[in-house]
Amino acid sequence: MDRIGFTHLLPNIGSCYSCFKKEQCLAKRLPSNDVEGLSTLVSNNIKYRSGDYIYRQGDTSQNIFIVKSGATKSLVNSVEGNEQVIGFHFAGEVLGFDALDTNQHASSVIALENSIICGFSRQLIDKLCATDATFQKELIARFSCEIVRDYQLLMLINKKTAEQRGAIFLLELLARMGYSRGQVIYLDLVMSRADIASYLGLVPETVSRVLSKFERMGMLVVKKKKLQIVDNELLVNYSNDHSLQQLPETNEIEDTAIPLARLY
Amino acid sequence: MDRIGFTHLLPNIGSCYSCFKKEQCLAKRLPSNDVEGLSTLVSNNIKYRSGDYIYRQGDTSQNIFIVKSGATKSLVNSVEGNEQVIGFHFAGEVLGFDALDTNQHASSVIALENSIICGFSRQLIDKLCATDATFQKELIARFSCEIVRDYQLLMLINKKTAEQRGAIFLLELLARMGYSRGQVIYLDLVMSRADIASYLGLVPETVSRVLSKFERMGMLVVKKKKLQIVDNELLVNYSNDHSLQQLPETNEIEDTAIPLARLY
DNA sequence: CGACTGTTTGAGACGCCTCAACAGATGTGG
DNA sequence: CCACATCTGTTGAGGCGTCTCAAACAGTCG
């Protein structure tokens, strides 16, 4: 499951200077003569296996991490033991913004598949911020982006039906994978139904039902963790408030009369 | 409604140097000889009336703001026109972190009462970051704090009952107002029931019902926007998962016996 | 092969929303 | 000052969407 296609070509430990992902990195615009020296402050290319923790809620550290390949989920545990997934993270994304105030991570991050991740110590962050205005601005931008993402998740969980959440989730995933509309595309869910459910504020059964319904409608084809998106427009339609524009489900066998009744 | 007690003593426009809130300010530790010059880059002590917008979702700017006195709410509008309150902000808190990546605010902020707010231009932020490591770290800390706050709000909205949300909301408000446990205290809700409901992912009717129930239980006394917290411990108890330890509600006609029943 | 986890599907329960009516507070203009 | 409209907040009755609980199945691993 090599998401980027050529991970196997990389040495396990490499300098930032030769990193094939440096354009996506937080520190992408560092002058190259600095980069080499800085690599001593970076944990390069750490391999994590599926299920491994990158860090745990409560860990005392101010490291931040950058996903180089693979995928992770972040989650928060409440005092009562409830656990909620608050994000999925793919290549190029930054983790660990939650510890830079309190010196304790407010969330845990777990690899969803075998992943390669770089770490920046707080020492390095401060050094880069002090010497490189570009890095500093990039860091601020990433922070801001994360906050906006949280807002969107809040909007998603609040006051949307399970079907809307499902549709929006899939569209978000498609967008992050770089797919545009109108293509017949295949989507690889790296996370479990339970993860999706937790992220969307639902239970796994409901997620399963939503996906099944989408499949019955001809919107997509579900095969375990592999999805084929057949009708992207329908998905977009469903992600909006469709209370007034209810589309007929697969009518043949069972209904026929019901959708007509629903039409006005 | 003078939350801090001596707003009226302040001049409308003053330098940062003489600001009585500089200890709480993002720029609190600036060397005093710099502060005077910087005040030209700060919009000092702008007065907003209740209902005024500090900024609107979609506004093109990268200013950030600091609430000096008063209170605000921030909210996000979805494409379908739904609106959700995502935060309340009191003196000392920073607003506007959501525009530093895209150069567009992802949320709106509205004054809940007459408020005094300072603004920092992006130009100033960058200048301070470049010259003052302390400011830079403080900014990062505020960012991180905001992200953790968002996580907590997500946990609050997801999988909690209306009563838990109500209890947690009140406790959060108490904590931010600096009250500790065990006191009989008065709480002044500056926001409407609709604002609370939106923030908690509920409808105003439900918020009203929850508050009424808390009052019937002897937990607090509701009088419009003024609350008296009578039994803080009970509130804490209710904020946890009380499915297994359901406390008896008012069974008798009205009261009298209720406090006694609650004593163990 | 049997345990185990993850997923799907169904039936019923329950919590919150919706809709409606009403009360109280606030503001406006005559 | 009152009549009126408007807005906020409260309370009740009923409906609906999601959760809960249960069962069955598939896939994986020992």
Side-chain angles (χ1 to χ4, degrees), chain B residues 243-255:
Chain B
S243 54
L244 299 176
Q245 38 164 334
Q246 183 66 265
L247 295 164
E249 201 182 338
T250 164
N251 308 329
E252 296 72 61
I253 309 299
E254 306 284 281
D255 329 306

Side-chain angles (χ1 to χ4, degrees), chain A residues 73-85:
Chain A
K73 65 175 174 181
S74 53
L75 46 92
V76 175
N77 286 90
S78 71
V79 285
E80 298 120 27
N82 301 327
E83 152 179 327
Q84 175 170 1
V85 173

Side-chain angles (χ1 to χ4, degrees), chain A residues 62 76 86 96-107 122 143-144 146-147 150-151 154, chain B residues 24 26 28 86-89 91-95 97 136-154 172 176 199:
Chain A
Q62 298 199 336
V76 175
I86 53 176
F97 284 144
D98 57 348
L100 295 178
D101 178 31
T102 59
N103 196 30
Q104 274 202 332
H105 285 287
S107 61
R122 179 62 195 260
F143 257 118
S144 185
E146 172 75 11
I147 285 173
D150 290 340
Y151 289 174
L154 272 170
Chain B
Q24 282 180 42
L26 199 53
K28 58 186 169 185
I86 53 176
F88 301 106
H89 315 278
E93 297 185 14
V94 180
L95 306 168
F97 284 143
Q136 187 188 93
K137 289 182 183 176
E138 180 70 18
L139 183 66
I140 288 175
R142 299 279 185 137
F143 258 118
S144 185
C145 186
E146 172 74 10
I147 285 173
V148 172
R149 196 190 67 81
D150 290 340
Y151 289 174
Q152 287 167 349
L153 181 54
L154 272 170
E172 183 200 340
R176 287 166 73 181
Y199 179 69

Side-chain angles (χ1 to χ4, degrees), chain A residues 161-164 166-167 170 193 204-222 227 231 234-235 238 242-243 245-251 254-255 258-259 262:
Chain A
T161 66
E163 288 167 17
Q164 282 180 293
L170 293 177
R193 300 285 190 275
E205 293 95 322
T206 303
V207 171
S208 183
R209 275 182 253 269
V210 167
L211 288 177
S212 297
K213 176 169 182 182
F214 285 176
E215 188 169 29
R216 283 199 306 277
M217 295 177 67
M219 192 186 291
L220 44 78
V221 178
V222 183
L227 293 187
D231 190 339
L234 190 51
L235 195 56
Y238 239 74
H242 56 282
S243 55
Q245 37 164 337
Q246 183 67 267
L247 295 165
E249 202 181 339
T250 163
N251 315 325
E254 349 246 271
D255 326 312
I258 301 167
R262 260 193 280 112

Side-chain angles (χ1 to χ4, degrees), chain B residues 115-129:
Chain B
S115 304
I116 300 177
I117 294 174
C118 292
F120 282 49
S121 66
R122 180 62 196 257
Q123 183 189 2
L124 173 59
I125 297 166
D126 287 341
K127 181 175 175 183
L128 289 173
C129 275

Side-chain angles (χ1 to χ4, degrees), chain B residues 14-32:
Chain B
S15 74
C16 292
Y17 182 68
S18 61
C19 176
F20 74 103
K21 279 239 168 236
K22 67 181 166 188
E23 286 307 312
Q24 282 180 42
C25 184
L26 199 53
K28 58 186 169 185
R29 286 179 226 175
L30 284 174
S32 53

